[in-house]
Amino acid sequence: MNDQNNNVLEFKDVWKIYQMGDEKINALAGVNLNIRDGSFTSIMGPSGSGKSTLLHVGGILDMPTRGNLLLNGKDTSTLSGKEQATFRRNEIGFVFQRFNLMPQLSALENVLLPMIKPDLEKAKELLDKMGLEGKHNKRPSQLSGGEQQRVSIARALINNPSLILADEPTGELDTKNAEVIMGILQDLNKKEGVTIIIVTHNPLAAEFTDEIIEMRDGNII
Amino acid sequence: MGINSLSFKNLRRRKLRSILTMLGVVIGVTALVVLVGLTTGMTNYMKESTTNMMGDVMIMNSTGGGTIMTQSGSSFLSPEAVDEIKNMPQLYNIKQEVQFLTEFNGTSIYVIGTSDWSQVDINGSTGVVVSTTLADMGYNIGNKITIEGQEFTVTGTFSEGAMGVVVLDSDKALPMNDNKSTSLTANTRGDPEVIKDEVENTVEGITVSTKSDMSKQIDDMMSGLTLFIGGIASIALLVGVISIINIMLVNVTERTREIGVLKAIGFTSREVLGSILLEAALIGFIGGLIGLIVAAILLQLAIMIFSSQIGDIQLAQMLPVWLIAGVLGGATGLSVLAGLYPAWRASRLNVVEALRNE
């Protein structure tokens, strides 16, 4: 039990099976994986290896076909839709490849969006920490890709989640911006102990992480 | 930063689209309010002019006298009944009105005896007023006219279709009709509804109408018309609302990925549903509000243009609170209904698939 207490995320024989026509596709084929509190992990593998599905299941965006997922020791398979949403809001911060900011909101409003009780000071502080001083009121369309991704990291952090899940966070960025983003994530992990999992194709990005997990055909190799 | 403020921002995001969608609601609401407002104003105007004419109660023969078309003698109130009524302490300010047909130069004309000249739009002065039909026959102001063997000097004229009509003071006209009245009006000491029953129970063969009876008769007459006109105008509003369904479906499809993101960062399906419904409700409410303002302006213009024909009528009579509240509530409520299906579709989106959406 002591060992389990250190795990933010536990995959226990997790299967995700999609039906494509007559064919069954095992996106996840019995994954067993523990993510320790404070770890910085990257998941690599070819397209279709199941790494994005692993991230979606880990972030309770998708439910496993079989097997169990424990988040902070709690089995997520029994959660209602509302409880899932609450878990996502409070325990998980998502960073997407394509930033996925709301185009009609300013940077500051985007960061405040997941908060039930908006804390303006905290949002401003986070944006400043991301190096976005003076750009709080800019719309996403007025920001560069690297800046947008930093806004989305601030949004992911706003509710102090147990876990940051990043799906190809550098996928749309040039090398310089990719390094900035990975540097920010590394700092968050090292200085503040935030647990981070990234899915990436980019070996340069993976180098920033402490542990690299390779996936193939729905399982970890 | 709540999800609901997103709804406001979404409206501003595609301004032209939002404005065009609202325009449908604006046109529907304007048509509805102007048409219903006109009939409502007409109803109120008729009620007020009817109830101004009479006192608190109007008393007629129970076989249904009192209209100008009545010809049968049995529809008059007998002098005995009138005396009985005049002796009732509950009634005061009793006025007798009479209308009857008489022979005049080989044709039939109406004689009306009144004690309230304000009901006649006279050219000249009160006393002996003839319709323009008679004036054209040579009985103009200052000329002599003989009715039922009595000679009068014409003091005024008024227009009343093609009919020959002479209006006299009641006390001059009543003896010509054997002192039988068509109707009495009176004020009451106490509740008109109670006194109505007392009078009907005391005097036989009469019917007493109160102001509210008269209002109800006018309401009954006009409500069918209002309903019909309102029904036609509602079709315009319905078309506007249906366009909301269409636009909200487009909006939801266009924002599939955003909805996926909202769910990923912790919003529940219900919250997503609510935000789409709020957006639809805003279109309906704002459209309704603008429609009401446009309608009020049009009605005020109509009042100014037609004031000489319809007399003194106020905007408030055409735009009663129930109409304003009903139209605003109706436009908003229907818009929420229109948003239900698009909102339901949005709330049911699979997060992973929505996030993959281009």
Side-chain angles (χ1 to χ4, degrees), chain B residues 239-257:
Chain B
V239 172
V241 169
I242 287 170
S243 78
I244 295 180
I245 304 179
N246 188 26
I247 291 303
M248 292 310 291
L249 276 176
V250 173
N251 284 346
V252 165
T253 308
E254 202 177 69
R255 287 186 225 140
T256 298
R257 199 146 64 95

Side-chain angles (χ1 to χ4, degrees), chain B residues 299-315:
Chain B
L299 285 173
Q300 186 60 50
L301 279 176
I303 289 170
M304 281 153 64
I305 293 167
F306 297 112
S307 60
S308 57
Q309 281 99 318
I310 57 170
D312 192 24
I313 192 163
Q314 300 297 319
L315 186 61

Side-chain angles (χ1 to χ4, degrees), chain A residues 56 61-62 82 85 88-89 94 96 98 100 102-105 109 112-115 118 155, chain B residues 1-2 6 9-10 13 257-258 261-268 271 351-352 355-356 358:
Chain A
H56 291 148
L61 293 178
D62 217 348
K82 196 178 172 203
R88 287 199 290 264
R89 188 192 285 270
F94 286 97
F96 303 96
R98 288 168 50 192
N100 283 343
M102 297 291 152
Q104 69 273 43
L105 301 183
E109 288 168 332
L112 286 168
L113 191 58
M115 289 194 110
R155 178 177 70 185
Chain B
M1 188 73 217
L6 266 184
K9 303 235 174 190
N10 279 335
R13 189 165 157 194
R257 199 146 64 95
E258 282 173 34
V261 174
L262 284 176
K263 289 181 142 191
I265 64 175
F267 288 100
T268 61
E271 285 169 318
V351 188
V352 173
L355 285 172
R356 268 196 214 114
E358 289 305 307

Side-chain angles (χ1 to χ4, degrees), chain B residues 103-153:
Chain B
E103 285 285 315
F104 179 79
N105 289 0
T107 62
S108 289
I109 62 162
Y110 280 101
V111 176
I112 298 175
T114 185
S115 42
D116 183 6
W117 285 96
S118 66
Q119 295 305 310
V120 194
D121 193 9
I122 305 168
N123 181 19
S125 57
T126 62
V128 181
V129 176
V130 301
S131 63
T132 43
T133 319
L134 289 174
D136 292 344
M137 287 161 66
Y139 300 98
N140 223 317
I141 299 173
N143 295 346
K144 304 276 185 212
I145 186 167
T146 307
I147 301 152
E148 295 266 318
Q150 289 186 47
E151 195 180 71
F152 297 99
T153 305

Side-chain angles (χ1 to χ4, degrees), chain B residues 18-221:
Chain B
S18 301
I19 288 168
L20 286 176
T21 315
M22 273 178 206
L23 192 64
V25 180
V26 170
I27 292 171
V29 165
T30 304
L32 190 67
V33 171
V34 166
L35 289 174
V36 174
L38 282 178
T39 48
T40 306
M42 215 148 73
T43 310
N44 285 342
Y45 174 71
M46 280 169 69
K47 266 194 230 175
E48 274 176 28
S49 49
T50 315
T51 48
N52 278 346
M53 168 175 71
M54 57 190 282
D56 295 324
V57 291
M58 183 182 227
I59 303 163
M60 289 182 293
N61 186 296
S62 55
T63 52
T67 72
I68 203 160
M69 306 312 280
T70 311
Q71 295 185 34
S72 116
S74 68
S75 63
F76 293 112
L77 289 163
S78 65
E80 295 76 32
V82 172
D83 284 343
E84 255 185 286
I85 292 162
K86 281 185 171 169
N87 283 332
M88 294 191 73
Q90 299 96 317
L91 302 174
Y92 68 101
N93 197 15
I94 297 166
K95 289 175 182 164
Q96 283 177 272
E97 304 275 325
V98 64
Q99 298 174 3
F100 59 91
L101 268 174
T102 186
E103 285 285 315
F104 179 79
N105 289 0
T107 62
S108 289
I109 62 162
Y110 280 101
V111 176
I112 298 175
T114 185
S115 42
D116 183 6
W117 285 96
S118 66
Q119 295 305 310
V120 194
D121 193 9
I122 305 168
N123 181 19
S125 57
T126 62
V128 181
V129 176
V130 301
S131 63
T132 43
T133 319
L134 289 174
D136 292 344
M137 287 161 66
Y139 300 98
N140 223 317
I141 299 173
N143 295 346
K144 304 276 185 212
I145 186 167
T146 307
I147 301 152
E148 295 266 318
Q150 289 186 47
E151 195 180 71
F152 297 99
T153 305
V154 176
T155 60
T157 61
F158 76 108
S159 49
E160 170 72 50
M163 255 183 287
V165 182
V166 179
V167 186
L168 303 168
D169 284 313
S170 297
D171 53 0
K172 291 198 189 102
L174 272 167
M176 298 179 190
N177 196 38
D178 303 331
N179 283 324
K180 287 188 284 189
S181 310
T182 312
S183 62
L184 293 185
T185 61
N187 287 2
T188 58
R189 297 189 172 92
D191 182 2
E193 295 296 329
V194 176
I195 291 163
K196 164 190 160 129
D197 290 342
E198 287 174 8
V199 176
E200 282 183 343
N201 290 335
T202 313
V203 187
E204 255 179 65
I206 58 153
T207 307
V208 182
S209 325
T210 61
K211 279 187 183 181
S212 61
D213 289 337
M214 300 296 280
S215 298
K216 198 173 161 292
Q217 271 178 29
I218 293 168
D219 276 339
D220 287 350
M221 197 167 70

